[in-house]
Amino acid sequence: MKKILILNGPNLNLLGTREPAQYGYTTLADVEAFCKAHGEKIGYEVECLQSNWEGALIDRIHEAGRQYKAGELLGVVINPGALTHTSISLHDAIKGVDPLPVIECHISNVHAREEFRHHSWVSPAAAGIVVGFGVDGYLVAIDGLVRKYVNSAATKMP
Ligand code: CA2
């Protein structure tokens, strides 16, 4: 069974325990569980990793690039947390594994928040972006990945 990788960056391990007005009450364990269940339903094994370390995320993206080349991985959904707004290294890592599809996902609508959250270093390297759907955004991102790279509506047009 092909895989989809879900990556979560710094502080997302705190999901559901603080700042519920911004991020809701769902924990990261809940998110990972419903992503795995959804993946199973649509025929993908979902693997999840959260790290507070930029380098660990970059190492995993490099490994994902190898898995993609080997035909084992469809793509990656990443919520890079605040690294979104600071990390050129993450941008370079995603560019470095092109054409591996990487979907950037944010729980909150970053564009309706502080100015410093409006810029993303990840977006220019991403295959798609999901913003502001709460934790359901992870499912939207998974479905978007599958629709764009497997079941494209465009491929079904007469
Ligand atoms: O909206 C998102 O998903 C963010 O990626 C979350 C990041 C934030 O820096 C981005 O601007 C937008 C914050 C992740 C920290 O998550 C927490 C969750 C609960 C309590 C504290 C932090």
Side-chain angles (χ1 to χ4, degrees):
M1 193 187 283
K2 235 184 196 177
K3 277 190 183 186
I4 292 173
L5 175 65
I6 311 284
L7 291 177
N8 278 289
N11 299 311
L12 282 152
N13 53 310
L14 299 177
L15 207 58
T17 66
R18 285 156 179 233
E19 296 194 51
Q22 202 61 253
Y23 302 114
Y25 287 97
T26 311
T27 66
L28 183 63
D30 295 332
V31 169
E32 293 183 347
F34 69 58
C35 285
K36 284 178 191 214
H38 184 64
E40 219 165 274
K41 229 187 283 172
I42 61 171
Y44 291 89
E45 183 190 336
V46 170
E47 183 189 321
C48 302
L49 172 76
Q50 185 276 330
S51 182
N52 294 321
W53 296 85
E54 186 175 18
L57 297 167
I58 290 170
D59 283 347
R60 191 62 189 87
I61 289 167
H62 293 169
E63 173 62 14
R66 287 187 282 274
Q67 291 177 304
Y68 178 76
K69 266 195 192 157
E72 299 161 11
L73 185 75
L74 177 67
V76 177
V77 172
I78 185 168
N79 182 345
L83 291 174
T84 307
H85 319 298
T86 62
S87 180
I88 300 172
S89 304
L90 209 47
H91 168 102
D92 288 346
I94 296 168
K95 284 279 195 191
V97 294
D98 183 71
L100 166 69
V102 175
I103 309 293
E104 176 184 355
C105 173
H106 296 286
I107 298 166
S108 62
N109 177 359
V110 284
H111 299 289
R113 298 181 63 190
E114 304 95 320
E115 181 110 32
F116 66 82
R117 295 186 203 275
H118 297 180
H119 179 263
S120 167
W121 287 105
V122 173
S123 295
I129 305 162
V130 175
V131 162
F133 287 91
V135 293
D136 286 349
Y138 290 90
L139 300 179
V140 174
I142 289 172
D143 285 345
L145 189 60
V146 174
R147 291 182 69 96
K148 184 166 179 177
Y149 293 97
V150 185
N151 301 322
S152 163
T155 64
K156 296 196 178 89
M157 296 287 211

